[in-house]
């Protein structure tokens, strides 16, 4: 180490400062070097930096920082104090030494800061930051041989030093200038990972300052960014968030300010404290208020407000009512709607006639267009699936329709059921036809062709049961076939008076086709 520091001093004397930096030992090893040579080289490095145009020589700055941090160490590991006493040929009083040490430390700080300003370096890349971090004495951080013009110490170390020394505003200003889009500041982003801890602490502290200053929106923004950078808010910080949320969007007199500002602020607070029920309730109420306020002037924004309110409080009746009111208005205008929205509206409001009419038309249209009738002469599973889907859709429409004003859908269902029955007769088993009959989609006496198809199915199954050794089942099937073939107007006459053509839509009883069994 003595040899290395001597080589560094000789290189500096020859004006080869990069070589001097390359030979200079790390600060941990400088204790082995001669103090007078270290001092001589340190003085030369400062003089070099003081010359005009030397404000960008990173290697020289690193050399000066490491050497002077070693010489001015509070523990005086270099015995610089002893060297001065020897040169003065008289002891230097302790109090005079401490004063001189502090004074020299300040002079070096001022010089490095002036060079930073001249070169336009921010707080993260500043030589002053590297100097102060090196002098902390925790661990050596500056390596002269690895000096980088963009920063003498790693970015994360610089950020941590600034926060520890109360320079959070310097850190945030410098980092924001480098990365203006704060929405990208997350702990998982490679560009921000190194400084995430220091930044989150600085933001949380600034957030508290802003709450004390009544800057509610800015405070919530700081806390939100700190959380994205991985900070778990403490009790005092959570209380600051609550205070900011209560006041956000309001002036000092308590009057309302921008509704958008208030909603955005409450949204940030709710995201930070999702378990806080009072914050959720306040955000929901504000969203509903603003949704109502712009219901007619800005329907799209109104919908977004109600929808967001339901996300925050899924069971909020006012938010649901607001969205339902929009659906009713859409139905009145004939706007395009989704099936789930209209079906949900009808479930919540069974008396909503426009919703019922919309669903009837929707199912009927789907049955007639989306499931075009295939060639029933072709025996394929696809044909059966298509016909069954058509029957299903029309059945849904009939269940919703009022038989007093919409017989069209009823007739379309009758036709669809007949086509399916005939297809099943040709391609499936008799039981499939009978099962369709027992679904009570068409009553006997409405369609002679359908009745004949069902009658044939019962007779065919009776023969199958006889061959299978089931005479009782065959006998029951023949009885059903005879009764259907007799042309009764409705199956209910088998067991009592007919309930009428529309009674089955008002309620099911044992007079329906299931009563055959």
């Amino acid at each position: 180490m003595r040899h290395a520091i001597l080589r560094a001093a000789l290189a500096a004397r020859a004006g080869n400062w990069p070589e001097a930096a390359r030979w200079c030992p790390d600060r941990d090893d400088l204790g082995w070097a001669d103090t007078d040579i270290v001092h001589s080289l340190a003085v030369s490095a400062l003089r070099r930096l003081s010359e005009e145009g030397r404000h960008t020589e990173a290697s020289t700055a690193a050399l000066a920082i490491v050497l002077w941090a070693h010489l001015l160490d509070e523990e005086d590991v270099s015995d610089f104090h002893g060297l001065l006493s020897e040169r003065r040929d008289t002891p230097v009083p302790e109090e005079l030494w401490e004063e001189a040490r502090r004074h020299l430390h300040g002079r070096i700080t001022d010089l490095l800061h002036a060079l930073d300003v001249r070169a336009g370096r921010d707080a993260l890349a500043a030589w002053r930051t590297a100097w102060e971090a090196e002098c902390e004495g925790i661990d050596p951080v500056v390596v002269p041989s690895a000096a980088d013009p963009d920063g003498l110490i790693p970015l994360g170390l610089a950020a941590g030093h600034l926060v520890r020394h109360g320079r959070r505003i310097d850190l945030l200003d410098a980092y924001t200038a480098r990365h203006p889009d704060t929405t990208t500041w997350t702990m998982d982003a490679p560009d921000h990972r190194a400084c995430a801890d220091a930044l989150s602490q600085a933001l949380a502290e600034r957030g508290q300052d802003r709450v004390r200053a009544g800057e509610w929106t800015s405070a919530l923004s700081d806390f939100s960014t700190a959380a994205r950078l991985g900070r778990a808010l403490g009790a005092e910080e959570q209380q600051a968030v609550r205070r900011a949320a209560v006041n956000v969007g309001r002036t000092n007199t308590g009057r309302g300010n921008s509704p958008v500002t208030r909603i955005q602020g409450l949204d940030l607070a709710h995201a930070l404290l999702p378990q806080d029920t009072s914050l959720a309730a306040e955000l929901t109420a504000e969203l509903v208020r603003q949704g109502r306020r712009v219901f007619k002037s800005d329907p799209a924004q109104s919908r977004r407000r109600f929808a967001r309110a339901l996300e925050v409080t899924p069971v909020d009746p006012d938010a649901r009512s607001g969205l339902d009111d929009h659906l009713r208005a859409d139905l009145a205008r004939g706007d395009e709607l989704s099936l789930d929205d209209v079906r949900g509206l009808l479930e919540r409001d069974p008396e909503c006639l426009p919703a019922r009419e919309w669903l009837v038309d929707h199912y009927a249209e789907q049955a007639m267009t989306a499931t075009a009738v295939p060639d029933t002469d072709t025996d394929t599973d696809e044909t059966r699936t298509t016909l069954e889907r058509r029957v299903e859709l029309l059945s849904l429409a009939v269940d919703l329709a009022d038989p007093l004003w919409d017989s069209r859908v009823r007739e379309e269902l009758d036709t669809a059921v007949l086509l399916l029955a005939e297809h099943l007769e040709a391609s499936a088993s008799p039981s499939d036809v009978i099962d369709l009959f027992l679904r009570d989609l068409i009553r006997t006496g409405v369609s002679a062709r359908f009745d004949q198809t069902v009658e044939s199915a019962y007779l065919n199954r009776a023969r199958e049961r006889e061959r299978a050794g089931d005479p009782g089942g065959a006998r029951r099937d023949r009885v059903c076939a005879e009764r259907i073939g007799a042309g009764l107007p409705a199956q209910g006459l088998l067991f009592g008076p007919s309930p009428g053509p529309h009674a089955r839509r008002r309620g099911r009883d044992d007079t329906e086709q299931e009563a055959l069994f």
Side-chain angles (χ1 to χ4, degrees):
M1 294 306 156
R2 291 165 59 89
H3 174 73
I5 197 67
L6 182 59
R7 289 290 299 267
L10 291 174
R13 179 173 294 183
N16 189 349
W17 288 95
E19 182 72 3
R22 189 176 72 84
W23 275 103
C24 180
D26 293 338
R27 186 177 165 203
D28 281 340
D29 297 323
L30 282 174
W32 298 96
D34 289 334
T35 301
D36 54 350
I37 297 178
V38 172
H39 176 250
S40 176
L41 181 55
V43 171
S44 298
L46 278 186
R47 288 174 178 169
R48 171 76 174 184
L49 290 175
S50 300
E51 295 174 3
E52 188 67 28
R54 304 301 180 189
H55 57 274
T56 59
E57 289 190 4
S59 60
T60 307
L63 194 63
I65 287 171
V66 168
L67 296 176
W68 280 109
H70 172 70
L71 291 172
L72 297 180
D73 193 308
E74 290 185 353
E75 297 181 3
D76 195 21
V77 293
S78 66
D79 196 22
F80 185 36
H81 187 182
L83 174 63
L84 295 179
S85 297
E86 180 182 340
R87 290 186 177 180
R88 286 166 50 91
D89 197 24
T90 182
V92 178
E94 190 64 31
E95 61 276 10
L96 182 58
W97 158 249
E98 287 298 327
E99 180 183 351
R101 191 181 67 80
R102 287 194 298 271
H103 178 72
L104 183 53
H105 185 281
R107 290 288 300 274
I108 295 173
T109 301
D110 292 342
L111 172 62
L112 293 175
H113 177 63
L115 296 175
D116 288 331
V117 172
R118 190 179 305 172
R121 284 183 287 270
D122 63 19
L124 286 166
W127 290 352
R128 174 192 170 186
T129 302
W131 159 248
E132 292 176 343
E134 184 74 15
C135 289
E136 277 189 301
I138 300 174
D139 286 303
V141 292
V142 178
V143 180
S145 60
D148 189 335
D150 293 330
L152 301 183
I153 61 176
L155 201 61
L157 292 178
H161 168 79
L162 292 172
V163 171
R164 284 194 301 274
H165 286 263
R167 296 179 59 193
R168 55 178 173 271
I169 301 303
D170 291 341
L171 166 61
L172 294 172
D173 288 347
Y175 204 83
T176 302
R178 293 185 179 203
H179 306 278
D181 186 3
T182 58
T183 61
T184 66
W185 294 14
T186 63
M187 65 180 301
D188 296 328
D191 290 344
H192 306 296
R193 192 173 297 137
C195 297
D197 289 343
L199 283 173
S200 65
Q201 181 178 343
L203 285 162
E205 292 175 358
R206 189 175 69 177
Q208 298 240 44
D209 292 341
R210 285 176 161 173
V211 167
R212 286 187 283 269
E215 300 172 3
W216 316 117
T217 301
S218 298
L220 289 168
S221 178
D222 278 349
F223 286 125
S224 179
T225 307
R228 288 203 311 273
L229 288 166
R231 185 172 184 83
L233 301 183
E236 291 185 4
E237 293 163 344
Q238 291 181 23
Q239 188 57 37
V241 168
R242 293 188 182 93
R243 183 183 174 193
V246 168
N247 293 281
V248 68
R250 295 176 178 169
T251 63
N252 291 333
T253 62
R255 295 181 179 178
N257 202 343
S258 166
V260 174
T261 300
R262 180 153 177 77
I263 288 173
Q264 290 176 343
L266 286 168
D267 237 336
L268 288 176
H270 174 63
L272 289 167
L273 304 175
Q275 305 305 319
D276 192 309
T277 55
S278 62
L279 278 180
E282 181 65 21
L283 173 57
T284 301
E286 188 68 27
L287 287 164
V288 169
R289 277 195 295 271
Q290 299 309 320
R292 288 292 183 194
R293 189 176 69 87
V294 298
F295 186 89
K296 293 183 178 179
S297 61
D298 192 346
Q301 184 184 112
S302 176
R303 290 175 194 271
R304 289 194 295 270
R305 296 289 187 238
F306 289 132
R308 176 60 183 144
L310 278 182
E311 289 177 3
V312 177
T313 308
V315 296
D316 186 74
D318 294 330
R320 172 50 64 192
S321 176
L323 281 179
D324 284 350
D325 287 344
H326 276 294
L327 284 174
R328 293 186 185 93
D330 293 341
L331 286 167
R333 289 190 301 267
D335 292 348
E336 185 175 348
L337 295 168
S338 75
L339 175 61
D340 289 342
D341 285 344
V342 180
R343 194 156 50 190
L345 174 60
L346 190 61
E347 289 175 357
R348 293 184 294 273
D349 182 9
E351 302 303 319
C352 183
L353 184 60
R356 185 176 297 276
E357 293 175 348
W358 187 96
L359 286 171
V360 170
D361 292 340
H362 172 81
Y363 288 132
E365 182 180 353
Q366 288 292 305
M368 300 305 295
T369 60
T371 57
V373 179
D375 183 3
T376 54
D377 293 333
T378 304
D379 182 14
T380 64
D381 291 338
E382 183 180 356
T383 300
R384 176 173 179 173
T385 300
T386 301
L387 290 171
E388 287 178 340
R389 177 60 176 160
R390 185 173 184 183
V391 167
E392 176 188 0
L393 290 168
L394 288 169
S395 178
L396 289 171
V398 166
D399 287 340
L400 291 168
D402 186 337
L404 296 178
W405 53 259
D406 199 343
S407 61
R408 169 184 55 87
V409 180
R410 173 72 256 180
E411 293 171 357
E412 291 174 357
L413 175 60
D414 292 345
T415 301
V417 172
L418 175 59
L419 288 173
L420 177 56
E422 291 177 337
H423 178 74
L424 294 175
E425 182 182 37
S427 62
S429 69
S431 292
D432 289 334
V433 177
I434 295 170
D435 289 342
L436 175 62
F437 166 69
L438 294 178
R439 287 169 60 186
D440 196 18
L441 298 173
I442 300 181
R443 302 190 69 79
T444 56
V446 173
S447 169
R449 289 172 57 190
F450 181 75
D451 293 348
Q452 291 168 3
T453 302
V454 175
E455 180 185 15
S456 298
Y458 273 116
L459 292 174
N460 290 333
R461 193 169 74 174
R463 287 190 286 270
E464 290 179 357
R465 285 180 167 177
E466 281 182 343
R467 289 193 292 269
D470 181 12
R475 184 166 48 256
R476 288 192 297 272
D477 280 349
R478 284 199 176 88
V479 170
C480 292
E482 290 173 0
R483 289 174 176 173
I484 292 172
L488 297 175
Q491 193 62 43
L493 294 179
L494 292 172
F495 305 104
S498 170
H502 303 302
R504 67 187 184 89
R505 293 301 166 198
R506 295 191 295 269
R508 305 182 68 87
D509 56 35
D510 62 1
T511 65
E512 299 189 49
Q513 295 178 1
E514 288 87 338
L516 288 172
F517 294 96

